[in-house]
């Protein structure tokens, strides 16, 4: 693996950028591995990376039915924060945020991680009370979060219109450690890092069946590129988790919905932070390329189409135009959908399943990108030890039967 | 935006409707004799099928009535809509 540095960039520049090598191999699948990860998004590639790096399990394959990072990793709005209400969630997402802070150095890959601050607006008395409860809960859990008056919110984000709108801004919760990262770089950086440690990344390889042995444990996967034996299989397939797990007879409490996002034409740097509003449903930041990245809501119905109705993003744009009048004449450039796997309590499921050797990491719903490194890290631990890491121990599949929900949806922490 | 055929009012645009999730899920008849696994099945486990899905819709900004529909979740195309109490048409 060629290490990236200012010097390597300069050298290649002098050679007309002609000496770069592919960042990972494109191997034929072997007939057997010690572990196989199904799903080549950020969470799956990261899981393979940490399996190889921290647990010495290097005979690993990542199977991806399309191209790596082409699913939700490449379709989200790249927002990173950890200001969740419940202790279990705050621990999981803050674990991820701490890994984000060192990820570019760890992987020798520029994640363009920018802690520009995530500001969540309150528009009603109820919003303000809930937001302040979050601030206090977060600070008690060691997660930074602070309450801003409307004037302080506008000072932090000058384009914000706090007064002259249907739902005026009554204040905001600000997590200064939150921000954005380059989503593609996360997939590519983990792929390159995992590949260098011996992991086979196999694209255009769709899993078509899961074979169990006589004890009911995982034995092999049938794929479009042949049968692959593996005693441990981790399924990290986001919106398609239900489909894959059904092949092993495991029903998941998930429903898959389209979630839409859009970007504007690129403009000069005008927007200094991330702003989210749950009440009027919009979130927005500006990429380093200059596009405004805007998140809309989920469509009402379950679907696997990776598209949705235009009335959903137009609703988000109405909110954006009220909050930021200077964007009213901006043109939108692209609009797309991703399929998100939503669990009943809006918290992920990370852990073992009733089938020995089969593990699942799913249910990230509308907010999985921010958790990528933390999710991958604890999932690799779970595969390596055959038991959950203390951080993902509460996020079991059995919690729905046992009534131990981590009910972040009712806590209204996130934009759903 | 979907066009949805309400069995009572005819074809209307999607914003007139509210989605009601998977259809034909019966509440356990004897709650006291229902096991935790059966409750889990009723409350949380859904088919989430990649293909033809039987689902409930409510024409909330029209007649206000619930009805059922068959929709292909890989294309979002409606195959049929039918009234509550009727069997799902074969496709």
């Amino acid at each position: 693996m060629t290490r990236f540095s200012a010097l390597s960039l300069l050298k290649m520049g002098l050679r007309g950028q002609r000496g770069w090598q592919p960042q990972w191999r494109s191997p034929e699948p072997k007939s057997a591995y010690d572990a196989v990860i199904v799903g080549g998004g950020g969470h799956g590639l990261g899981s393979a990376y940490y399996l190889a790096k921290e647990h010495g399990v290097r005979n690993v394959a990542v199977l991806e039915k399309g191209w790596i990072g082409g699913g939700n990793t490449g379709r989200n709005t790249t927002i990173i924060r950890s200001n969740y209400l419940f202790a279990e969630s705050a621990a999981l997402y803050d674990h991820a945020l701490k890994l984000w802070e060192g990820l570019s150095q760890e992987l020798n890959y520029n994640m363009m991680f920018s802690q520009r601050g995530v500001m969540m607006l309150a528009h009603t008395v109820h919003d303000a009370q809930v937001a302040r409860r979050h601030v206090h809960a977060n600070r008690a859990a060691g997660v930074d979060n602070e309450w801003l008056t409307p004037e302080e919110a506008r000072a932090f984000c000058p384009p914000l219109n706090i007064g002259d709108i249907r739902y005026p801004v009554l204040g905001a919760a600000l997590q200064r450690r939150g921000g954005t990262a380059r989503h593609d770089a996360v997939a590519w950086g983990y792929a390159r890092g995992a590949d260098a440690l011996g992991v086979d990344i196999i694209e255009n390889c769709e899993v078509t069946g899961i074979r169990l042995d006589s004890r009911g444990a995982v034995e092999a996967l049938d794929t479009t590129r042949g049968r692959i034996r593996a005693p441990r299989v981790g399924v990290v397939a986001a919106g398609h988790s239900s489909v894959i797990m059904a092949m092993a007879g495991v029903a998941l409490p998930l429903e898959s919905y389209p979630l839409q996002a859009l970007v504007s034409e690129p403009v000069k740097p005008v927007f200094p932070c991330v702003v989210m509003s749950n009440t009027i449903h919009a979130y927005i930041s500006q990429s380093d390329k200059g596009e405004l990245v805007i998140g809309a809501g989920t469509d009402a119905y379950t679907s696997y189409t990776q598209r949705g109705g235009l009335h959903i993003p137009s609703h988000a744009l109405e909110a954006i135009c009220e909050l930021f009048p200077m964007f009213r004449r901006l043109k939108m450039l692209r609009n797309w959908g991703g399929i998100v796997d939503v669990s009943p309590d809006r918290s992920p499921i990370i852990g073992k399943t009733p089938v020995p050797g089969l593990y699942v990491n799913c249910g990230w719903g509308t907010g999985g990108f921010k958790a990528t490194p933390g999710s991958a890290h604890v999932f690799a631990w779970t595969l390596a030890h055959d038991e959950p890491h203390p951080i993902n121990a509460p996020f079991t599949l059995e919690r729905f039967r046992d009534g131990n929900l981590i009910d972040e949806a009712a806590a209204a922490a996130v934009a759903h | 935006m979907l066009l949805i055929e309400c069995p009572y009012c005819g074809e209307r645009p999607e914003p007139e409707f509210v989605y009601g999730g998977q259809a034909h899920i019966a509440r356990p008849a004897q709650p006291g004799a229902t096991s935790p696994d059966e409750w889990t099945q009723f409350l949380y486990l859904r088919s989430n099928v990649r293909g033809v899905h039987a689902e409930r819709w409510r024409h909330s900004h029209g007649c206000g009535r619930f009805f059922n529909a068959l929709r292909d979740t890989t294309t979002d195309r409606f195959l049929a809509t039918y009234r509550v109490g009727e069997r799902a048409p074969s496709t």
Side-chain angles (χ1 to χ4, degrees):
Chain A
M1 182 175 84
T2 317
R3 270 193 76 76
F4 295 144
S5 64
L7 190 62
S8 70
L9 195 61
L10 181 66
K11 273 196 213 158
M12 288 299 179
L14 294 175
R15 284 193 234 156
Q17 310 290 358
R18 288 177 196 283
W20 297 109
Q21 296 297 312
Q23 294 182 17
W24 54 87
R25 298 163 294 130
S26 185
E28 283 301 311
K30 293 191 277 187
S31 62
Y33 290 92
D34 292 340
V36 168
I37 303 288
V38 179
H43 292 243
L45 293 163
S47 302
Y49 171 78
Y50 290 116
L51 260 179
K53 173 159 180 280
E54 302 206 342
H55 306 287
V57 185
R58 297 190 171 197
N59 186 21
V60 174
V62 177
L63 309 183
E64 166 55 48
K65 76 168 177 176
W67 66 97
I68 66 163
N72 293 350
T73 300
R75 292 167 185 268
N76 64 83
T77 50
T78 79
I79 297 169
I80 294 164
R81 62 187 179 87
S82 65
N83 52 352
Y84 282 70
L85 181 63
F86 293 126
E88 296 90 340
S89 311
L92 176 61
Y93 289 99
D94 211 49
H95 180 55
L97 183 45
K98 284 172 186 159
L99 288 171
W100 276 116
E101 286 170 339
L103 202 58
S104 292
Q105 286 73 23
E106 156 108 26
L107 295 174
N108 177 234
Y109 209 96
N110 186 3
M111 295 290 157
M112 297 165 73
F113 179 51
S114 161
Q115 292 178 294
R116 58 186 67 181
V118 173
M119 193 162 75
M120 299 171 81
L121 303 179
H123 300 276
T124 64
V125 172
H126 176 75
D127 276 0
Q129 288 171 341
V130 168
R132 274 181 289 200
R133 182 183 173 209
H134 270 80
V135 168
H136 294 312
N138 288 151
R139 293 172 81 140
V143 175
D144 75 303
N145 200 354
E146 61 194 271
W147 176 252
L148 303 183
T149 64
E151 292 72 26
E152 288 169 337
R154 187 174 52 192
F156 190 73
C157 182
L160 181 64
N161 179 12
I162 58 173
D164 181 27
I165 53 178
R166 171 68 183 82
Y167 292 103
V169 175
L170 301 185
L174 171 64
Q175 184 177 29
R176 292 183 191 270
R177 285 163 66 230
T180 58
R182 173 79 199 276
H183 50 0
D184 294 324
V186 181
W188 299 338
Y190 273 128
R192 173 169 167 269
D195 180 86
L197 294 169
V199 172
D200 283 357
I201 295 162
I202 300 161
E203 296 174 273
N204 300 310
C205 180
E206 183 172 356
V207 172
T208 54
I210 299 178
R211 292 188 166 266
L212 308 182
D213 65 15
S214 55
R215 297 175 301 119
V218 165
E219 187 176 46
L221 296 172
D222 288 328
T223 77
T224 50
R225 296 179 68 174
R227 182 169 300 172
I228 299 172
R229 280 183 289 117
R232 277 175 289 184
V233 172
V235 174
V236 201
H240 285 74
S241 299
S242 302
V243 178
I244 302 282
M245 294 300 284
M247 295 172 187
V250 178
L252 293 174
L254 296 178
E255 291 194 288
S256 297
Y257 291 91
L259 176 67
Q260 296 186 63
L262 58 166
V263 293
S264 74
E265 58 188 329
V267 289
K268 288 186 175 180
V270 289
F271 202 76
C273 59
V274 181
V275 173
M276 309 178 66
S277 165
N278 292 350
T279 295
I280 57 177
H281 209 294
Y283 37 108
I284 181 168
S285 64
Q286 187 173 22
S287 74
D288 290 357
K289 206 162 45 171
E291 299 160 333
L292 293 168
V293 184
I294 296 168
T298 50
D299 281 81
Y301 47 84
T302 60
S303 178
Y304 288 87
T305 57
Q306 293 190 327
R307 59 174 185 261
L310 193 59
H311 60 293
I312 303 288
S314 64
H315 178 70
L317 288 178
E318 285 164 15
I320 294 292
C321 290
E322 278 230 313
L323 288 172
F324 308 103
M326 72 181 201
F327 295 148
R328 280 180 185 166
R329 294 171 68 184
L330 207 58
K331 293 183 182 68
M332 291 298 126
L333 205 61
R334 292 192 308 280
N335 162 226
W336 63 92
I339 300 305
V340 298
D341 43 332
V342 178
S343 72
D345 59 1
R346 304 298 193 268
S347 290
I349 300 163
I350 318 164
K352 299 168 76 167
T353 69
V355 175
L358 184 63
Y359 306 84
V360 72
N361 184 350
C362 65
W364 290 97
T366 58
F369 176 75
K370 64 174 83 67
T372 304
S375 153
H377 187 257
V378 298
F379 193 55
W381 171 288
T382 306
L383 257 76
H385 292 82
D386 192 34
E387 63 179 55
H389 185 279
I391 289 178
N392 66 311
F395 294 88
T396 61
L397 187 53
E398 291 77 31
R399 73 176 186 269
F400 299 97
R401 182 194 64 201
D402 299 339
N404 298 320
L405 302 188
I406 303 161
D407 205 354
E408 285 285 352
V414 284
H416 283 299
Chain B
M1 188 183 295
L2 306 176
L3 277 175
I4 304 174
E5 173 98 18
C6 171
Y8 304 97
C9 310
E11 203 170 61
R12 299 293 175 88
E14 181 194 338
E16 291 191 15
F17 297 85
V18 172
Y19 182 66
Q22 190 181 334
H24 308 302
I25 296 175
R27 183 178 170 83
Q30 292 186 301
T34 302
S35 72
D37 284 328
E38 288 165 336
W39 276 120
T40 309
Q41 178 76 35
F42 168 70
L43 288 170
Y44 299 123
L45 297 184
R46 296 292 176 263
S47 68
N48 199 25
V49 65
R50 193 171 190 281
V52 178
H53 188 232
E55 60 195 19
R56 301 187 308 163
W57 287 86
R58 181 170 176 248
H59 194 189
S60 56
H61 294 288
C63 62
R65 294 207 235 188
F66 275 97
F67 60 92
N68 295 324
L70 294 180
R71 183 177 51 91
D72 187 337
T73 61
T74 62
T75 60
D76 290 341
R77 185 174 296 280
F78 281 91
L79 306 176
T81 56
Y82 53 101
R83 298 180 183 198
V84 171
E86 293 177 358
R87 277 177 179 277
S90 54
T91 51

